[in-house]
Amino acid sequence: MFGPFTGVHPDELRALEGEIGRLPDDYRAFIGLANGGRLEYDIRVPPGDAGEVVGFTELYQVGRDQRGEYGYSTLLGQCRRRKDWWLAEHISMEWLLPIAGSGGNDTLFLDLGPENTGRLVAFVQGLPRWTGLRERTVLATVADTFDEYVDALFIDDETAQMNWEDVQHAAPDDPWRRVVEQWLDEGLTDWRARSWATDR
């Protein structure tokens, strides 16, 4: 986790839950520790070895953004805009709360519906064939609870390499380099033996 994370004001949490309903306890506990900011981990969509590796790294926050508005980086802003998405023409968005994004159109939803309260649903948009990347659009359940979702997160090799390349030439005592090293030591224990970590 890289953050920076903000605190959750009780009034803002009440405002959000007044519109969407009570959030699951495990997700409430998570945003109490990591509200907004970046979460540099990956998950497979759909789950399993054949799933696409996606990083829903941009966490939407409880409360207003830096401009004092409920913008696109906020949960309440996302909640209020979700029915205007083109995706709403194809599936019901009434109970789906967008909680994180990939930086593109890929979105992670918390399902607050009466039948599926707390499950995590991922939307991954297919890309044009000329990109050479995934072409199939996927909407899939990736976990039944938020705790289960967190347990399924991992650091993909490409994510690790990208973050290491940003700091590898910094001094060994550079604070940000030390953060990245600790993150890799905990999440990808053999990373120092990878070619991208040993090649200088």
Side-chain angles (χ1 to χ4, degrees), residues 12 61 63-74 77 80-81:
E12 293 287 4
Q61 70 182 45
R64 300 169 191 269
D65 59 23
Q66 292 179 339
R67 294 193 223 175
E69 302 171 351
Y70 293 117
Y72 288 98
S73 65
T74 71
R80 291 173 175 169
R81 293 174 175 89

Side-chain angles (χ1 to χ4, degrees), residues 8-18 21 23 28 31 62-63:
V8 177
H9 194 285
D11 290 345
E12 293 287 4
L13 185 57
R14 279 191 289 272
L16 174 65
E17 292 186 326
L23 299 172
R28 278 172 135 253
I31 59 177
V62 176

